[in-house]
Amino acid sequence: MTSPSNPNRVNASVRAGRIDRTRTLNATVDGRPVHGRPGDTLASAMLAQGDIEVAPSIQLGRPRGVLSADCTEPNALVQLLDGACPEPMLPTTEIELREGLRAETLSGVGWLSQQRDTAGYDKKFVHTDVVVVGAGPSGIAASLAAARGGARVILVDQHRELGGMLLDGRADIAGHPATEWIGRAARELAENEQVRVLTRSAALGYYDHNYLLVAESRTDHMAVPPPSTSRQRLWHVRAKQVVLATGAHERPVVFADNDRPGVMLASAVRSYLNRYAVLPGREAVVFTTSDSAYSTALDLLGAGARVPAIVDTRPEPSARLVEQVRAAGAHVVTSAAVVATTGQHRISGVRVRGLDDDGSLTGWSSEFSCDLLAVSGGWNPAVQLFAQCGGAVRWDPVVAGFVPRTTGGRSAKVVGSARGTYDLAGCLAQGFAAGAEAATLSGFRTAPPPVPQVDGDRQGSRPRPVWLVPDESRPPERCTEHFVDLQRDATVADMYRATETGMRSVQHVKRYTTISTGLDQGKGSGVNAVGVLAEILAANSPGEVGTTTFRPPYTPVPLALFAGRTRGELYDPVRTTPMHHLHVEAGAVFEDVGQWKRARYYPRGAEDMHAAVLRECAAARTGVAVQDVSTLGRIEIVGPDAPVFLDRIYTNGFAKLAVGKARYGMMCGADGMVLDDGVSMRLAEDRYLMSTTTGGAAKVLDWLEEWLQTEWPDLDVYCTSVTEQWAAVAVVGPDSRTVVGRLAPDLDVSADSFGFMRFHETSLTGGIPARISRVSFSGELAFEVNVPRWYGEALWEATMTAGSDLGITPYGTETMHVLRAEKGFVIVGQDTDGTVTPVDLGMDWAVSKQKDFIGKRSLSRPDLVREDRKQLVGLLPTDTTTLLPEGSHLVEPDVSRQPPVPMLGHVTSSYHSAALERTFALGLISRGQQRFGDVVCVPVDGRDVEVEITSPVFYDPEGVRRDGPAQG
Amino acid sequence: MTVPHKVETDTAAAEVATALRHGPLEHRAAEFERRSASGARGVRLREEPFLTQLDLRTSPGSSSAASVADALGLPLPAANRVSGDEHDAVLWLGPDESLIVAPDGRAESLLRTVRTAQQGGSGSVVDVSANRTTLRLSGPMAREVLEKLCSLDLHPRAFGPGDCAQTLLGRVVVVLWQLDHEPGYRIMVRCSFAEYLADLLLDAMAEFLDG
Amino acid sequence: MLLVRCPWCGDRDEAEFRYGGQADVDYPADPHQLDDAAWGEYLFVRANPAGSFDERWVHTAGCRRWFSLVRDTATNEMRPDIPRRREGR
């Protein structure tokens, strides 16, 4: 009846199972071979060869065996060794056997690999009219009904084939085995192009607005995965309607030594027998609290196993079932419970005692030998997804489980055993009805199909859950071998300890005992813990205790799946200018400015940043230097009311700016704090081109639109982002006029014709259209040359050529920072942080006294006119070589360093200066503008650095360099 | 009194300069070809640089909107729609915003046409031709590729030829425009994001290269 | 991921939007007529109900239009706001 290597595999004539007996798959667990068939899980293959015991338990080292056949498995956990990255904590009950699989068993905890996970993970966004979670009978029925109505349907199931618990049982539908009905349904769904069936896919989370995350395992079942197929895919599903047919999980029973290998859920025994053609034991006692385990007993008997006893907690089980099992040769013991088990590495027998109506033990006892104990503590509807999206549950005493109380999310319909309906006809009826209703509500009117005749499990008498089977000799608070959570080795005694410390809430008891914090997140142990707690607290029902909170993910998934493709190079957008590759060729070192890559400096030879920046700065101050400034934000502002609008947005005036001129502007939030700055040009009476900081472009556009749309819709103004319409270079230094003159031969660049803060439109050599302005962020004579972006590369090359004999030097952001700081020009976001006003920066000159603007009212708020506000100052370390770390605190020299030390302010910018031949810094310090000449301290690495407070303008305070050398 | 718009008027010089232009993905054309696949599970990517693009702002229903449509010879599109064809089109970008798309080199004449039509009314038109480049993604698997990056419903029942949307591909803002049933799409993306977006798309296309 | 209905573009993922806080906090016609307390109220004080809340969003990755909607802050259920003051452009 069995093959030699698989003594527990049942002959095909007895059970075909859902396996392919023509092929063998070879795997290794703990170095020992495991042979199985396609269709096996690792657990079923191991059971087929008689391996029921797995690794010992996590805390107590007790022998443990396979308990379940599903995702509630607490014991049979392994670390996969043969994948792209060793993956920990996978239940063997959920691993499809594949050729070459290698694993090691785990005692409740795995190990994190130091290896990089090179497997592929990706995601996909899909929309559907109806998503159905769970492809058992209810879910299949719902999908069929919705699809027949014409709706787009996604059906999701964790397993490789449809059918759910139908595959574990032996029901008939419409006079034929249920597998035929499943097969027909699977074909019908596969042929409908509006239906997508996702097998091997776990719905992890159910979020607001009918958003579900589904993790699809795409290659783990393959010996050799296709090269470019992702290992797992995270489906982001947005549905109009959600049908949850998530099924139910059988719960174990809490009694003494209930953790012995060979104690197995009755439904799992049935699943191994019918789905996998594996008989896990030859002599099986069944211990149950409800009807469903009778089917297990009947199937065991039919497959040739002995069933010495069916121990039922109920005084009067369904007479029909009792009669059936008696006829098949089994004996039912009523009003009884298993109170003890014997055996070492495998159960060898049980002791049974009578149970009173109040749950205490009666006088008689009886012993049975066995190699398997099939237990059923009842069923827990799988309400996790339902509850994740705000669905509330209630305790149903008839079902003896927590069932949905309200509708979850927008429209979730819960059907079948997920709402405590355990008879097949009821499941099909609910599925059809929910599917048809979901289709109708999403615009595809349809009626539920008729329910076929079924012959399968029927609902009989009510269950009698026993949360805590009394110990024969010990009081409950000393029940240290009554396991509630096998994975955590947590017992009834642990729960007593929790309540003795005063805890009453199930949430607290959970965290104290760690019950339900394992891999299965309480799918197996949670309700039993609630039941035991109800007993301890003498509550009327588990409903009084309530459940813990159900949170995503429903089953564990690798974090790499959530990262998907957004790793490494693809992690975040990288923005580049059209000249980027020229900077790369020039050996630039880049820095990230927001998402932009900007050249930071251009080292020559063995130069470090310090040397390169000194050289670049010197070129800008004494010769000519060039920077790519294409990253600056640009917004074209058009309309007859544009002048009025800019006057309200900027702290200084723009309405009177002449056409052809440019002006530096600063903008504030309504709270008076600096928001952004930049130069705006007036292109025409009704047309301005605003520039923003590199990082502020999007924020400023949103800001402008906010005011135009929500406060001033009467203004006739339109804003258009043109940041990337333009590429631009800043040409800086005494020789810049010569370079720009060569670049733009048609343009008169003389100081008389081309004044500061003016711009002209012209053509560059080669006919490139350009807009050239005279703006300076360095204090030097400088030009900004703008061309349509696709000419960016040509512009850079032309500029380098035009300046080659003058030693034109490309410079990066670091040099730009030094040059501007030497002039005391601030960078919004570096020298400001959202708490700084233009007045704090000493920029009163840019704050209009005449007109109103956004933020003006705030500048007279008491807090903003406080005399001790932090103000922008220059800072010169007494030692001219000391570079102050940016962000350092400023403190008085003579105060005690016992915390708290009063902080006067901090360093915002700090550099070496080639022009000053020393280090310098900018900072914000209380009353700074009154303190020029004072010396304060900057604690650096535990020692004080003395710095003198100065004006923030270090270089060319008279501004004579702006117009460049006199021409002659 | 306005500064003369030399950018718009100096056409002779501009023609000479055309050879100096570079599309942001020009240097990757051969790679795109190599990483595209034909056949029933094929998907192809290429750049269509230099399309003329003008950002048009009009007050919907206004007489100036009507005269702009007359001047263009195309109705202004309904929400989330494109009027015209892949050569001359107007894409809906928002309730008062459209994108005029035309072949390379038409910016100046179209600017003049629209500005004339807008004369006296409210609105604006701005040349944004160099602001975005265009990627064309086509082939039977094109939608599959986009669905890896885009949260929009691109199922034929929800999005088809002549539909457009401003949305996100990954974390990149794009104008997505479906051209035909194949399906073929245009993805208009700001130039600085073009390389990154192309990398995202090629990565998403990789599984269809195996055939 | 919330599903936000842009009145112009239709239903889009929350990631395409930026949140704009409480709706209908009018910018005072003349801020300088307000005393410090009233101006501070405008700047800093916002409602924070558990339940129905009028709030603003801007469709930054789409049409860039600002709009308001009513969200139940306890359930995230959303419905369109009926513009109280004036139409957006």
Side-chain angles (χ1 to χ4, degrees):
Chain A
M1 157 169 169
T2 55
S3 65
S5 65
N6 290 325
N8 288 352
R9 185 76 79 189
V10 178
N11 272 349
S13 57
V14 178
R15 283 293 186 286
R18 310 294 295 168
I19 55 166
D20 173 5
R21 294 177 194 250
T22 64
R23 287 169 53 210
T24 302
L25 297 174
N26 303 291
T28 314
V29 176
D30 294 336
R32 298 192 306 129
V34 174
H35 307 290
R37 306 292 193 189
D40 265 324
T41 60
L42 184 55
S44 72
M46 291 174 75
L47 283 171
Q49 53 190 46
D51 297 335
I52 205 165
E53 189 182 355
V54 294
S57 69
I58 183 170
Q59 303 288 353
L60 305 169
R62 289 167 69 98
R64 289 284 159 83
V66 180
L67 179 79
S68 77
D70 59 23
C71 64
T72 66
E73 178 58 37
N75 298 328
L77 305 174
V78 294
Q79 179 115 16
L80 280 187
L81 303 174
D82 63 324
C85 176
E87 188 171 353
M89 295 293 279
L90 295 166
T92 59
T93 50
E94 294 284 296
I95 298 172
E96 280 184 50
L97 193 65
R98 65 165 181 268
E99 182 64 30
L101 182 146
R102 280 191 305 121
E104 65 185 32
T105 54
L106 298 173
S107 287
V109 60
W111 43 274
L112 272 181
S113 170
Q114 299 301 307
Q115 221 171 300
R116 183 184 158 83
D117 187 350
T118 56
Y121 300 87
D122 64 5
K123 60 181 161 185
K124 199 148 183 187
F125 298 90
V126 285
H127 295 248
T128 187
D129 296 310
V130 182
V131 63
V132 179
V133 181
S138 324
I140 291 174
S143 303
L144 287 173
R148 286 173 191 169
R152 290 154 69 186
V153 176
I154 294 178
L155 172 60
V156 175
D157 193 88
Q158 273 185 283
H159 296 105
R160 67 184 175 91
E161 57 177 343
L162 308 188
M165 289 203 294
L166 280 179
L167 301 176
D168 299 331
R170 311 194 75 202
D172 285 343
I173 297 179
H176 298 280
T179 48
E180 289 182 22
W181 180 81
I182 296 167
R184 274 198 309 279
R187 277 192 299 281
E188 180 179 333
L189 294 172
E191 284 161 10
N192 185 331
E193 66 176 19
Q194 302 306 335
V195 176
R196 190 192 303 264
V197 178
L198 293 174
T199 52
R200 298 186 173 99
S201 298
L204 301 178
Y206 177 19
Y207 304 89
D208 286 323
H209 303 172
N210 281 348
Y211 197 65
L212 286 90
L213 288 186
V214 176
E216 180 193 16
S217 173
R218 303 180 78 205
T219 63
D220 276 359
H221 59 288
M222 302 175 181
V224 185
S228 296
T229 302
S230 55
R231 177 187 177 220
Q232 292 182 19
R233 173 168 284 175
L234 191 63
W235 293 78
H236 295 243
V237 179
R238 181 78 72 180
K240 291 200 182 83
Q241 298 288 317
V242 176
V243 178
L244 298 175
T246 42
H249 298 117
E250 195 166 31
R251 46 180 187 252
V253 187
V254 179
F255 56 95
D257 292 323
N258 59 339
D259 64 332
R260 225 178 274 293
V263 176
M264 192 181 281
L265 292 171
S267 59
V269 172
R270 202 175 183 219
S271 178
Y272 287 120
L273 179 55
N274 293 323
R275 195 189 286 222
Y276 302 102
V278 171
L279 193 55
R282 299 304 157 88
E283 192 163 37
V285 170
V286 175
F287 175 23
T288 188
T289 61
S290 67
D291 286 351
S292 64
Y294 284 77
S295 304
T296 302
L298 288 167
D299 287 353
L300 283 166
L301 290 161
R306 290 196 340 101
V307 177
I310 297 171
V311 180
D312 197 322
T313 55
R314 300 171 296 177
E316 287 178 32
S318 152
R320 176 181 60 85
L321 289 173
V322 172
E323 192 44 50
Q324 265 184 295
V325 293
R326 266 192 197 135
H331 160 68
V332 179
V333 187
T334 58
S335 293
V338 172
V339 294
T341 63
T342 55
Q344 281 302 314
H345 292 280
R346 174 136 194 181
I347 194 167
S348 60
V350 296
R351 189 157 62 253
V352 175
R353 292 277 296 265
L355 272 185
D356 265 350
D357 288 350
D358 65 358
S360 51
L361 301 181
T362 61
W364 66 267
S365 80
S366 186
E367 295 187 358
F368 300 94
S369 68
C370 61
D371 62 358
L372 190 68
L373 175 61
V375 296
S376 175
W379 292 81
N380 297 325
V383 294
Q384 287 86 354
L385 283 181
F386 169 78
Q388 277 177 22
C389 201
V393 297
R394 67 177 172 86
W395 179 257
D396 184 328
V398 177
V399 171
F402 286 100
V403 297
R405 187 174 67 200
T406 57
T407 302
R410 262 184 188 163
S411 57
K413 297 169 187 25
V414 186
V415 294
S417 46
R419 60 183 276 191
T421 301
Y422 296 127
D423 71 296
L424 181 52
C427 288
L428 291 174
Q430 285 175 12
F432 283 137
E437 191 191 351
T440 301
L441 287 171
S442 50
F444 298 87
R445 194 172 183 79
T446 185
V451 179
Q453 187 66 38
V454 300
D455 175 20
D457 306 338
R458 270 178 278 168
Q459 282 181 326
S461 46
R462 282 171 62 160
R464 182 197 179 188
V466 174
W467 302 113
L468 173 48
V469 176
D471 192 87
E472 290 190 283
S473 55
R474 288 189 273 191
E477 61 271 22
R478 287 177 47 218
C479 284
T480 52
E481 273 112 42
H482 279 54
F483 287 90
V484 180
D485 189 329
L486 294 162
Q487 192 177 162
R488 290 291 190 223
D489 265 345
T491 64
V492 169
D494 294 326
M495 293 189 64
Y496 268 92
R497 214 163 33 249
T499 56
E500 280 160 10
T501 67
M503 294 179 196
R504 294 294 178 271
S505 158
V506 66
Q507 304 277 14
H508 295 152
V509 172
K510 166 185 173 176
R511 282 154 183 81
Y512 184 82
T513 60
T514 74
I515 288 171
S516 298
T517 60
L519 182 80
D520 70 323
Q521 289 288 290
K523 285 197 269 298
S525 58
V527 174
N528 275 349
V530 172
V532 172
L533 187 59
E535 299 257 305
I536 294 174
L537 300 177
N540 287 318
S541 85
E544 270 186 37
V545 172
T547 66
T548 54
T549 306
F550 301 106
R551 295 191 180 88
Y554 176 71
T555 53
V557 281
L559 285 173
L561 176 60
F562 292 102
R565 306 308 300 159
T566 47
R567 295 165 59 164
E569 305 261 290
L570 299 179
Y571 175 68
D572 196 43
V574 173
R575 302 179 70 182
T576 55
T577 73
M579 300 85 123
H580 181 76
H581 67 282
L582 298 175
H583 307 321
V584 173
E585 285 165 20
V589 174
F590 291 88
E591 73 167 336
D592 292 335
V593 181
Q595 292 170 327
W596 288 100
K597 288 282 177 210
R598 295 199 74 183
R600 190 173 188 195
Y601 59 98
Y602 296 78
R604 284 186 190 160
E607 275 181 345
D608 60 6
M609 182 170 88
H610 175 65
V613 169
L614 287 179
R615 174 179 51 72
E616 291 170 16
C617 285
R621 293 259 183 249
T622 61
V624 59
V626 57
Q627 187 189 17
D628 178 358
V629 293
S630 306
T631 59
L632 292 177
R634 297 171 186 84
I635 300 166
E636 203 157 318
I637 297 164
V638 182
D641 294 324
V644 175
F645 179 55
L646 284 196
D647 260 3
R648 295 183 189 177
I649 291 290
Y650 277 127
T651 59
N652 47 341
F654 276 78
K656 292 179 189 143
L657 180 69
V659 172
K661 284 192 171 181
R663 179 169 291 166
Y664 170 84
M666 177 160 271
M667 57 181 81
C668 291
D671 59 2
M673 303 304 165
V674 173
L675 191 77
D676 204 79
D677 67 349
V679 170
S680 288
M681 303 187 226
R682 191 162 195 176
L683 305 181
E685 287 297 327
D686 63 347
R687 190 172 285 255
Y688 292 79
L689 181 64
M690 172 188 282
S691 70
T692 74
T693 58
T694 294
K699 178 182 68 184
V700 170
L701 184 60
D702 275 356
W703 178 248
L704 301 183
E705 289 287 0
E706 177 177 354
W707 288 93
L708 281 176
Q709 292 175 34
T710 70
E711 294 294 347
W712 305 323
D714 49 309
L715 292 186
D716 187 352
V717 178
Y718 294 96
C719 301
T720 306
S721 168
V722 291
T723 295
E724 307 209 17
Q725 173 66 19
W726 302 98
V729 295
V731 185
V732 178
D735 292 335
S736 60
R737 180 175 283 129
T738 310
V739 172
V740 173
R742 291 173 183 171
L743 269 180
D746 300 343
L747 189 66
D748 181 353
V749 294
S750 67
D752 293 341
S753 302
F754 198 160
F756 184 60
M757 284 296 189
R758 292 198 172 259
F759 66 91
H760 295 283
E761 292 181 356
T762 184
S763 284
L764 307 186
T765 315
I768 300 172
R771 181 182 288 133
I772 301 180
S773 57
R774 254 198 72 197
V775 296
S776 177
F777 197 39
S778 58
E780 296 299 326
L781 174 68
F783 297 82
E784 191 181 294
V785 185
N786 285 265
V787 297
R789 198 166 191 90
W790 47 48
Y791 293 114
E793 194 180 337
L795 171 64
W796 184 265
E797 285 176 334
T799 309
M800 293 303 289
T801 305
S804 61
D805 59 326
L806 298 166
I808 191 166
T809 303
Y811 71 95
T813 50
E814 197 65 25
T815 291
M816 179 266 282
H817 279 231
V818 177
L819 296 174
R820 64 87 201 176
E822 288 170 347
K823 287 290 293 177
F825 296 151
V826 298
I827 289 190
V828 174
Q830 171 150 352
D831 302 297
T832 72
D833 60 4
T835 67
V836 180
T837 71
V839 180
D840 297 337
L841 294 174
M843 295 176 71
D844 315 53
W845 54 269
V847 178
S848 172
K849 307 287 181 293
Q850 279 82 45
K851 61 162 187 123
D852 195 15
F853 57 85
I854 297 169
K856 186 172 193 178
R857 171 66 186 84
S858 288
L859 296 180
S860 59
R861 287 182 57 235
D863 191 57
L864 300 201
V865 296
R866 260 179 28 232
E867 287 195 352
D868 61 346
R869 284 191 66 79
K870 291 175 187 170
Q871 295 167 331
L872 185 79
V873 295
L875 297 168
L876 289 174
T878 310
D879 170 11
T880 60
T881 63
T882 301
L883 185 69
L884 301 172
E886 289 173 355
S888 301
H889 284 293
L890 299 164
V891 298
E892 296 289 3
D894 49 357
V895 299
S896 155
R897 294 304 157 85
Q898 283 303 308
V901 182
M903 300 298 168
L904 306 176
H906 66 283
V907 177
T908 60
S909 297
S910 175
Y911 311 98
H912 291 277
S913 165
L916 306 174
E917 297 181 323
R918 57 161 301 141
T919 57
F920 74 106
L922 298 175
L924 289 165
I925 186 166
S926 180
R927 301 175 201 272
Q929 282 154 16
Q930 278 85 57
R931 298 198 59 180
F932 292 176
D934 287 3
V935 171
V936 291
C937 280
V938 177
V940 178
D941 295 335
R943 83 189 163 88
D944 277 355
V945 176
E946 287 193 341
V947 299
E948 184 190 343
I949 300 173
T950 70
S951 154
V953 184
F954 297 97
Y955 185 77
D956 184 27
E958 302 79 21
V960 296
R961 302 189 61 83
R962 191 188 76 188
D963 294 317
Q967 285 168 297
Chain B
M1 182 56 208
T2 65
V3 169
H5 278 262
K6 205 150 191 183
V7 175
E8 294 155 37
T9 52
D10 200 347
T11 47
E15 273 166 32
V16 177
T18 299
L20 296 171
R21 298 184 306 180
H22 295 287
L25 297 169
E26 190 179 283
H27 60 294
R28 301 187 65 177
E31 182 194 354
F32 290 178
E33 185 67 30
R34 195 172 65 248
R35 296 174 73 175
S36 292
S38 50
R41 283 176 62 77
V43 54
R44 301 179 301 280
L45 182 69
R46 65 183 159 91
E47 187 188 16
E48 295 183 332
F50 310 132
L51 293 184
T52 292
Q53 298 169 59
L54 305 183
D55 191 278
L56 172 69
R57 305 296 291 271
T58 56
S59 192
S62 66
S63 62
S64 105
S67 58
V68 169
D70 278 351
L72 291 171
L74 286 171
L76 296 187
N80 301 309
R81 292 286 296 165
V82 179
S83 78
D85 56 28
E86 69 173 83
H87 303 290
D88 289 280
V90 185
L91 281 68
W92 186 90
L93 297 185
D96 66 357
E97 186 172 13
S98 309
L99 187 70
I100 301 169
V101 177
D104 185 14
R106 296 263 307 280
E108 291 154 33
S109 63
L110 276 170
L111 274 176
R112 273 195 299 276
T113 303
V114 175
R115 283 199 176 132
T116 306
Q118 279 181 331
Q119 209 85 150
S122 168
S124 87
V125 61
V126 176
D127 181 10
V128 291
S129 304
N131 198 50
R132 294 189 188 93
T133 191
T134 304
L135 283 160
R136 193 182 184 112
L137 183 78
S138 55
M141 292 297 113
R143 174 158 72 94
E144 301 280 325
V145 168
L146 288 179
E147 282 178 349
K148 294 186 190 183
L149 301 170
C150 180
S151 69
L152 281 192
D153 188 357
L154 299 177
H155 185 279
R157 284 184 184 175
F159 199 86
D163 282 335
C164 71
Q166 290 190 90
T167 186
L168 292 169
L169 293 191
R171 296 179 63 188
V172 181
V173 176
V174 299
V175 180
L176 181 67
W177 169 11
Q178 185 166 346
L179 299 169
D180 52 40
H181 286 287
E182 186 187 17
Y185 301 90
R186 269 187 179 150
I187 302 162
M188 312 180 89
V189 60
R190 294 213 272 161
C191 293
S192 68
F193 289 99
E195 289 246 20
Y196 174 80
L197 181 65
D199 287 339
L200 277 186
L201 288 166
L202 290 169
D203 179 72
M205 289 161 64
E207 74 171 305
F208 303 112
L209 267 189
D210 297 335
Chain C
M1 184 69 72
L2 301 181
L3 189 66
V4 180
R5 177 158 297 175
C6 168
W8 309 106
C9 302
D11 289 341
R12 298 294 186 89
D13 271 8
E14 179 190 356
E16 293 193 4
F17 299 85
R18 192 160 71 76
Y19 184 63
Q22 183 178 352
D24 297 329
V25 180
D26 294 355
Y27 187 67
D30 182 359
H32 300 276
Q33 295 302 307
L34 270 55
D35 63 18
D36 287 331
W39 179 247
E41 187 87 5
Y42 162 74
L43 284 180
F44 302 122
V45 180
R46 297 293 182 271
N48 184 24
S52 203
F53 189 45
D54 278 27
E55 61 189 21
R56 301 188 310 161
W57 294 74
V58 59
H59 193 185
T60 45
C63 64
R64 300 205 327 270
R65 298 300 96 182
W66 285 83
F67 60 93
S68 351
L69 51 75
V70 182
R71 181 174 61 102
D72 185 315
T73 57
T75 65
N76 279 333
E77 290 306 304
M78 294 174 170
R79 57 189 163 81
D81 187 25
I82 295 138
R84 180 170 66 80
R85 290 175 303 153
R86 52 200 174 201
E87 293 292 329
R89 296 186 316 158

